[in-house]
C-alpha cells in the first residue's frame, strides 16, 4: 500500500521527467527521486538527452552514499541493457538501494527485464504507483514503441463553429497570441513538425520553435508531392533542419542543398504509413501534425492520429473550410470517437486535448 510519502516522491519524479520532453528522443523521458533509509529525499534527476546519463544515474550521483538502504522512485522500469549508457538496474543494485517503486513497465524488448534483475538481487520492487500520470507524461515514446511508428499529435486552431479560415481564405489570426505561443511548446516537445503542400503555399509557415530557451529544434517535414515549394520558402531557412518529402518523379533541381525524401505516390498522394515508417527509421518518435484539413483527413483515415489538440477561439464565421476534410467517414456510426483528457483556457481560447477511443472504418 503506497503511503503519502511514496505518492509525493513519485509525483516529483513525474514532474522531473517532463523536463526532458523534446530532448531525449529516441529515448523516453524518465524522472527519478531517491530517498534515504529514513525516507528523506536525498537525490533526484531526469534523463536530459539521448546518449547522456539516465535519470537514475543523475539521482544516484546526487544521493551518494545516502542511497544505501534507500528507495528509488522511477517513472519507467529501470533499463536492463547496455547501450550508450550502462544498465540502470545494475547501478541501483551497486548503490545499495533496497526498494524500487516504478510507475510504468518498459515495453521496449531491448531494455525490459530490469525489475527481474532487481528482484534477483534481493531488491524489493513494486510497479504501478501513479502509473496513469507517468504514462500520460511519456505518451509519445510509449506509443511509438507499442505501435512501431512515431506518435502523431494533430494540432489545429478553429473558430467555435469549426472553421479554420473565412470564406475568402483569411485565417490570421483565428486563435490568440497566447494560443500561438502555446503551440511553440508543442513544437519544442516534438521530434518533427509536419505540414502539407497546401499549407506551404497558403501560409508559408516557418515551423521552427520560438520563445523557448534552449529548445531543441524539431525536424521540419514538408510534404510537397511535385516539389513546387520555392527556394525562398521560410521552411527552407537554416533556423531548423528541414526534410522535403516529394513523389519519386518530382523535379527538385531548383532546391539545391535541401534534404529530399522521395516516396512512391498512392492515388496521387504520399502514403501516410510510408512516410511514418521512414521517419521512424531515422529516429523520429513524435510528430506534430500542423497541416491543413486535407492532410489531417488522410492521417485520420489511416488511423495515424494518436492525440488531438484543438485551440477553439470564441469566434463565429459561418462559412469557410472546416478543420478536418474527408477522412473516409461516411456515416455517424463510422465516426472517430474521442475521449477528452484535458480542457484549459489559453488566453481567450479553449484548448481541448483528446485521444481516440475508436478506429476509423477501413483503417
Amino acid at each position: 500500500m503506497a503511503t503519502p510519502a511514496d505518492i509525493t516522491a513519485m509525483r516529483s519524479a513525474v514532474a522531473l521527467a517532463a523536463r526532458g520532453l523534446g530532448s531525449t528522443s529516441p529515448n523516453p523521458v524518465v524522472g527519478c527521486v531517491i530517498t534515504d533509509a529514513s525516507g528523506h529525499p536525498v537525490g533526484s534527476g531526469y534523463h536530459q538527452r539521448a546518449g547522456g546519463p539516465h535519470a537514475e544515474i543523475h539521482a544516484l550521483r546526487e544521493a551518494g552514499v545516502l542511497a544505501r538502504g534507500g528507495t528509488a522512485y522511477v517513472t519507467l522500469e529501470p533499463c536492463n541493457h547496455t547501450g550508450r549508457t550502462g544498465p540502470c538496474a545494475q547501478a541501483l543494485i551497486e548503490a545499495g538501494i533496497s526498494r524500487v517503486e516504478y510507475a510504468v513497465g518498459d515495453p521496449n524488448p531491448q531494455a525490459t527485464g530490469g525489475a527481474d534483475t532487481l528482484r534477483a538481487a534481493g531488491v524489493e520492487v513494486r510497479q504501478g504507483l501513479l502509473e496513469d500520470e507517468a504514462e500520460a507524461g511519456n505518451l509519445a515514446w510509449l506509443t511509438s514503441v507499442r505501435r512501431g511508428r512515431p506518435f502523431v499529435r494533430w494540432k489545429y486552431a478553429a473558430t467555435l463553429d469549426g472553421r479554420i479560415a473565412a470564406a475568402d481564405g483569411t485565417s490570421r489570426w483565428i486563435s490568440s497570441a497566447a494560443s500561438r505561443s502555446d503551440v511553440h511548446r508543442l513544437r519544442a516537445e516534438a521530434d518533427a513538425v509536419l505540414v502539407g503542400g497546401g499549407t506551404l503555399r497558403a501560409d508559408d509557415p516557418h515551423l521552427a520553435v520560438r520563445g523557448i530557451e534552449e529548445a531543441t529544434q524539431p525536424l521540419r517535414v514538408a510534404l510537397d508531392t511535385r516539389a513546387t515549394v520555392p527556394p525562398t520558402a521560410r521552411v527552407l531557412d537554416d533556423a531548423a533542419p528541414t526534410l522535403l518529402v516529394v513523389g519519386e518523379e518530382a523535379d527538385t533541381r531548383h532546391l539545391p542543398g535541401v534534404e529530399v525524401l522521395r516516396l512512391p505516390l498512392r492515388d496521387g498522394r504520399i502514403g501516410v504509413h510510408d512516410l511514418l515508417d521512414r521517419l521512424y527509421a531515422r529516429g523520429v518518435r513524435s510528430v506534430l501534425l500542423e497541416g491543413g484539413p486535407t492532410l489531417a483527413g488522410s492521417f485520420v483515415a489511416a488511423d495515424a492520429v494518436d492525440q488531438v489538440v484543438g485551440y477553439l477561439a470564441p469566434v463565429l464565421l459561418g462559412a469557410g473550410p472546416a478543420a478536418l476534410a474527408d477522412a473516409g467517414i461516411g456515416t455517424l456510426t463510422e465516426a472517430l470517437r474521442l475521449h477528452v483528457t484535458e480542457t484549459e483556457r489559453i488566453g481567450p481560447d479553449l484548448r481541448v486535448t483528446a485521444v481516440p477511443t475508436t478506429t476509423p472504418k477501413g483503417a
Side-chain angles (χ1 to χ4, degrees), residues 141-163:
W141 182 83
L142 289 168
T143 299
S144 73
V145 173
R146 291 165 180 164
R147 302 201 69 170
R149 62 153 176 81
F151 166 86
V152 176
R153 170 185 281 149
W154 171 39
K155 181 280 302 179
Y156 70 94
T159 63
L160 208 56
D161 56 342
R163 307 295 177 177

Side-chain angles (χ1 to χ4, degrees), residues 49 80 165 178 215 231 288 335:
R49 58 179 177 81
N80 197 44
L288 179 63

Side-chain angles (χ1 to χ4, degrees), residues 169 171-172 195-207 222-230 233-235 244-246 268 291-292 294-295:
S171 61
R172 295 188 178 183
V195 297
T199 299
L200 283 176
R201 290 184 288 273
D203 298 338
D204 190 22
H206 192 225
L207 302 181
L223 272 65
D224 188 11
T225 56
R226 296 186 300 276
T228 59
V229 61
R234 296 200 303 157
V235 76
L244 182 66
V245 184
V246 302
T294 300
L295 186 62

Side-chain angles (χ1 to χ4, degrees), residues 294-318:
T294 300
L295 186 62
S298 66
F299 270 72
V300 170
D303 186 28
V305 171
D306 303 299
Q307 186 184 67
V308 178
V309 179
Y311 295 87
L312 303 181
V315 177
L316 298 176
L317 284 174

Side-chain angles (χ1 to χ4, degrees), residues 114-204:
D116 292 338
T117 296
L118 289 162
R119 290 191 183 97
V123 178
E124 180 186 351
V125 181
R126 291 192 301 186
Q127 176 188 352
L129 180 60
L130 299 189
E131 183 174 12
D132 289 347
E133 293 182 27
E135 176 106 11
N138 215 6
L139 180 62
W141 182 83
L142 289 168
T143 299
S144 73
V145 173
R146 291 165 180 164
R147 302 201 69 170
R149 62 153 176 81
F151 166 86
V152 176
R153 170 185 281 149
W154 171 39
K155 181 280 302 179
Y156 70 94
T159 63
L160 208 56
D161 56 342
R163 307 295 177 177
I164 62 168
D168 66 355
T170 55
S171 61
R172 295 188 178 183
W173 294 104
I174 284 176
S175 60
S176 66
S179 289
R180 298 195 299 275
S181 177
D182 193 59
V183 169
H184 285 278
R185 176 186 60 82
L186 297 184
R187 288 179 182 175
E189 292 179 2
D191 295 341
V193 180
L194 173 63
V195 297
T199 299
L200 283 176
R201 290 184 288 273
D203 298 338
D204 190 22

Side-chain angles (χ1 to χ4, degrees), residues 5-279:
D6 291 331
I7 293 172
T8 296
M10 185 62 83
R11 187 154 287 139
S12 294
V14 171
L16 283 166
R19 297 185 186 180
L21 285 169
S23 62
T24 65
S25 189
N27 294 348
V29 293
V30 183
C32 177
V33 170
I34 291 176
T35 59
D36 63 16
S38 61
H40 293 98
V42 292
S44 63
Y46 67 98
H47 186 40
Q48 299 174 13
R49 58 179 177 81
H54 290 186
E56 296 94 324
I57 305 306
H58 284 297
L60 287 171
R61 287 175 179 171
E62 186 175 295
V65 296
L66 297 178
R68 186 161 299 277
T71 299
Y73 300 86
V74 195
T75 57
L76 185 70
E77 179 184 2
C79 67
N80 197 44
H81 78 299
T82 299
R84 284 184 283 182
T85 60
C88 291
Q90 190 60 39
L92 291 167
I93 293 167
E94 293 173 359
I97 289 290
S98 64
R99 180 165 68 107
V100 172
E101 295 269 3
Y102 70 94
V104 180
D106 193 333
N108 183 356
Q110 294 180 325
T112 193
D116 292 338
T117 296
L118 289 162
R119 290 191 183 97
V123 178
E124 180 186 351
V125 181
R126 291 192 301 186
Q127 176 188 352
L129 180 60
L130 299 189
E131 183 174 12
D132 289 347
E133 293 182 27
E135 176 106 11
N138 215 6
L139 180 62
W141 182 83
L142 289 168
T143 299
S144 73
V145 173
R146 291 165 180 164
R147 302 201 69 170
R149 62 153 176 81
F151 166 86
V152 176
R153 170 185 281 149
W154 171 39
K155 181 280 302 179
Y156 70 94
T159 63
L160 208 56
D161 56 342
R163 307 295 177 177
I164 62 168
D168 66 355
T170 55
S171 61
R172 295 188 178 183
W173 294 104
I174 284 176
S175 60
S176 66
S179 289
R180 298 195 299 275
S181 177
D182 193 59
V183 169
H184 285 278
R185 176 186 60 82
L186 297 184
R187 288 179 182 175
E189 292 179 2
D191 295 341
V193 180
L194 173 63
V195 297
T199 299
L200 283 176
R201 290 184 288 273
D203 298 338
D204 190 22
H206 192 225
L207 302 181
V209 177
R210 298 188 302 275
I212 299 178
E213 292 185 9
E214 299 182 0
T216 300
Q217 290 291 348
L219 175 69
R220 299 178 294 186
V221 182
L223 272 65
D224 188 11
T225 56
R226 296 186 300 276
T228 59
V229 61
T232 56
R234 296 200 303 157
V235 76
L236 300 179
D237 70 10
D238 59 1
T242 299
L243 176 67
L244 182 66
V245 184
V246 302
E248 290 178 314
E249 304 301 322
D251 184 354
T252 59
R253 286 175 294 178
H254 65 296
L255 300 170
V258 176
E259 183 181 3
V260 174
L261 171 62
R262 296 182 182 274
L263 291 176
L265 300 183
R266 301 176 185 272
D267 297 324
R269 296 183 179 181
I270 289 168
V272 168
H273 288 287
D274 290 342
L275 172 62
L276 291 177
D277 287 347
R278 295 295 292 271
L279 291 177

